[in-house]
Every structure is written in C-alpha cells, then in structure tokens.
Amino acid sequence: MLEKIQTTEKNFKSDLSEVGDLNHLEELRIKYLGRKGLFAILFDEFKQLPNEEKPKYGQTLNRLKIQCQNEFNEIKSKFSETAEDDDKGIDLTLPGRSVNIGTKHILMQTLFQIKSIFKGLGFSVYEGPELESDYNNFEALNFPADHPARDMQDTFFVNENFLFRTHTSPVQVRLMKEKKPPIRAIIPGKVYRNEAISAKSYCLFHQVEGLYIDGNVSFAELKGTLVAFAKQFFGNDVKYRFRPSFFPFTEPSAEVDIWWQPKGKEGRWLEILGCGMVDPNVLENVGIDSEKYTGYAFGMGAERIAMLKYGIGDIRVFFDNDKRFLTQF
Ligand code: PHE
C-alpha cells in the first residue's frame, strides 16, 4: 500500500511539471482527483485494509491528497492570471508598430532651396495675393486690353476686374509701387491657369518671380545671376542656354532651357524660366523714372525644375497626395 501511495505521489508531481495549459490541467485533475480518479481508487483499497493497518496509511494518504489539491489549485490560478493578461491585449511577441514621421512635400523642399540660393545672392523674399486685379496681372504689365498676348495665359476670371493670377509678375507691380529702388526681391507663390490637365500642365502651379531694379542694371547681370542659380541648384556641370523670346513686360526677353538627359533615352532641352529687362512702359506705369532706372525680371516654374532635378515625369503627382510618391523624398 505504501509503495502505491509513493508511486502516485511521484507520478502526480512529474505529470504536473509537464502541464501546458488549463485543459491539460483539468485532464490531470480528473485523472488524480476525479470521482473515479487514482486517489478514489487508493481510498477504496484503504477501506478494505484490516482495521489495525488503517491508522498506518490513513494519515499519509489524506495528507498527500490535500497536498495535491493545493498544488493543483496553485497552478490553476497561475494559468488564469496569464489568461487574464492575454485578455488585456498585451502580446509581447508581436512586432512593434512603426511610427510614420511626416516630411516636407518635395515641392516645399524645392521652393526652400530656391529661396535660400537667392537669399545668398542678396535677394529678399516677398509674397502677394493669389486673387488679383486684371490691372496688376495684365494692364500694368503692358498687356493692353484685347491684346492677343493675353491669350498666352488662359485665365480663371472671378468677374470682369478680378482673376486668379496667371503668374507671379503682378507682385512686381505691387512691389515697385510700394518701394523705391533699389529693389532686389524674389516672390514665390501659386499661380492658376485654365488649361487642359495633362502630364505637362496642371490648373495650378508654383512660380518664383525675381525682380531687380536699380541704376544701370544690365542684361549681363541677369545672365550672371541665373547661371549662378542654375549651377547651385542643378550642379556645376549643368547644361543651359538662353533663347530669345517675347513677354509684353520685358524687352529684350529670353527663356532659359536646361538640358535633360534621362538614362538610356534621348536628351532634350526643357524650358525652366522666362526673363528679360523690365520694359520702360512698366516702370512708367508704376511711377519709376525709366531714364534713371533699369531692371531685370524673371519667373521660373517650381514644378518644372523639381521634375528636372528629380526625374519626375508627370506634374500631376505633386497634387495627388499619393504616399508612394511623397515618401520617396
Ligand atoms: N510671367 C512670365 C510667365 O509666367 C515669366 C516671366 C517673368 C517672364 C518675369 C519675364 C519676366 O510666363
């Protein structure tokens, strides 16, 4: 009898040490402590012992049963605690959540670069309103009413006298009216054009206007400034050219092209800006003596030069807010 009790104790301990979960534990409880369990069998045997032998085993058997019950309860409560932790949703084996940190939009980064290059060349930064008068956007810039040059820029009119500016040049007019020369400023901002939307053009884009008015400003200075900019922005080995052009508010006028060489494809010239010497008519319109002062102006498309620098093939991606595009920069 004693041997049987000892074996049961040993087996119970080793079984218990291998227990994996609550179901397994319950199986063991039934195996040992259930109504037909191993302890029940031991007690049946105990009852059949002769009376004089009963005291010898009774105590041991009882103590062992209570001890087993206690151990069983202890393990059960440990399992329940971990089960509760699981309910709280904490699973330390899960991979961590990554935090998405935002970045500046590539266009804003580009505008920032342009501004800092021109600040380094002695320009201040100004801004003007996007809703403009027809006078500032066209008339003061030497586009006479009904002049075909207005067709160069398809316009969103708000009413007869107001419109969404089609370029940043009207801010030239505002600045020259407000300040006395010397004026050396750049003016970044949004402009709007009523154009068919395609890979090449969008209904809104960004320009950076430049204006320098002083005694004896020359075309050579304009050229020097724009070349310095192009080299800083695109790199010293940038290939550029100045091409004669026409704008009603500058004379002479030019456009600057940059050589675009996509890998494995044929390269070509891409226009990035218009520029020229401020037309004396414009100076007179804003009350600056055109005998005393001369000046130059330029206007560049920010999307255009970002597309060139980063090899972006479609202007619409700047406005789509597609994370696959935005997170590349
Ligand atoms: N405003 C012109 C455009 O939008 C660019 C320009 C600016 C040209 C200043 C000459 C001088 O096309």
Side-chain angles (χ1 to χ4, degrees):
M1 182 79 201
L2 190 60
E3 210 178 297
K4 275 191 188 158
I5 295 173
Q6 280 165 348
T7 327
T8 310
E9 184 182 7
K10 226 171 86 195
N11 289 346
F12 180 76
K13 284 206 168 127
S14 88
D15 275 354
L16 213 60
S17 72
E18 276 164 20
V19 100
D21 58 25
L22 273 174
N23 288 341
H24 189 186
L25 191 68
E26 179 61 11
E27 273 172 35
L28 288 182
R29 192 190 66 78
I30 293 166
K31 177 174 169 191
Y32 286 94
L33 299 162
R35 258 194 319 130
K36 290 176 186 161
L38 293 172
F39 276 103
I41 295 167
L42 282 175
F43 273 103
D44 280 345
E45 276 182 37
F46 169 77
K47 273 183 209 148
Q48 280 151 34
L49 288 175
N51 272 348
E52 63 273 20
E53 286 199 28
K54 274 185 184 156
K56 214 162 131 194
Y57 302 112
Q59 265 189 348
T60 327
L61 197 53
N62 258 329
R63 207 172 358 96
L64 183 62
K65 191 183 170 188
I66 289 169
Q67 197 191 324
C68 288
Q69 259 165 351
N70 285 345
E71 272 178 48
F72 174 84
N73 284 338
E74 209 176 293
I75 292 193
K76 187 174 175 178
S77 69
K78 263 191 205 152
F79 270 122
S80 316
E81 267 172 33
T82 27
E84 255 170 47
D85 281 349
D86 283 351
D87 286 349
K88 283 180 203 141
I90 300 165
D91 181 349
L92 298 176
T93 64
L94 282 176
R97 275 183 209 147
S98 62
V99 179
N100 288 323
I101 297 171
T103 54
K104 273 210 173 85
H105 192 285
I106 184 57
L107 203 51
M108 293 302 121
Q109 293 181 38
T110 305
L111 285 167
F112 182 84
Q113 271 175 13
I114 299 173
K115 279 189 269 185
S116 71
I117 291 172
F118 280 107
K119 277 188 204 166
L121 294 170
F123 287 74
S124 327
V125 180
Y126 288 93
E127 282 182 10
E130 288 166 28
L131 188 63
E132 251 311 352
S133 63
D134 182 276
Y135 178 80
N136 284 345
N137 195 86
F138 290 126
E139 199 104 6
L141 290 170
N142 219 19
F143 289 84
D146 303 323
H147 191 277
R150 287 192 180 215
D151 292 345
M152 282 166 80
Q153 305 179 347
D154 297 307
T155 311
F156 286 114
F157 282 95
V158 175
N159 58 32
E160 223 178 289
N161 298 316
F162 286 91
L163 45 82
F164 283 101
R165 66 180 180 196
T166 58
H167 50 177
T168 40
S169 301
V171 193
Q172 286 187 31
V173 177
R174 289 173 176 270
L175 264 184
M176 289 190 282
K177 277 186 174 169
E178 235 174 66
K179 301 194 178 307
K180 297 226 164 334
I183 300 169
R184 199 192 328 224
I186 56 161
I187 307 137
K190 287 194 193 82
V191 303
Y192 299 82
R193 292 198 193 169
N194 190 4
E195 282 177 16
I197 291 173
S198 72
K200 279 195 183 150
S201 54
Y202 201 69
C203 52
L204 94 98
F205 57 98
H206 294 73
Q207 280 190 337
V208 179
E209 190 83 9
L211 178 69
Y212 180 32
I213 310 281
D214 206 347
N216 285 322
V217 177
S218 68
F219 196 93
E221 278 174 83
L222 168 61
K223 219 177 149 182
T225 304
L226 291 177
V227 170
F229 165 76
K231 288 191 169 170
Q232 281 193 56
F233 188 83
F234 293 106
N236 266 336
D237 50 357
V238 62
K239 243 170 99 184
Y240 58 86
R241 72 175 182 196
F242 284 72
R243 186 167 37 77
S245 185
F246 170 79
F247 298 101
F249 42 95
T250 48
E251 181 60 34
S253 305
E255 281 175 323
V256 174
D257 299 334
I258 298 286
W259 183 254
W260 190 49
Q261 184 62 67
K263 274 196 195 97
K265 280 191 204 160
E266 218 174 289
R268 61 191 160 106
W269 291 107
L270 279 182
E271 179 218 317
I272 59 156
L273 61 84
C275 63
M277 300 307 291
V278 178
D279 193 294
N281 280 349
V282 175
L283 294 175
E284 294 301 328
N285 281 344
V286 295
I288 289 178
D289 185 350
S290 63
E291 298 287 326
K292 241 173 106 185
Y293 293 103
T294 53
Y296 66 67
F298 58 84
M300 62 179 76
E303 283 80 357
R304 235 333 142 69
I305 72 171
M307 288 165 81
L308 256 168
K309 182 164 179 171
Y310 301 104
I312 299 164
D314 190 324
I315 192 171
R316 290 167 292 195
V317 294
F318 289 108
F319 307 99
D320 282 346
N321 274 337
D322 187 331
K323 268 174 80 180
R324 288 169 300 180
F325 169 69
L326 298 176
T327 53
Q328 290 177 42
F329 303 99

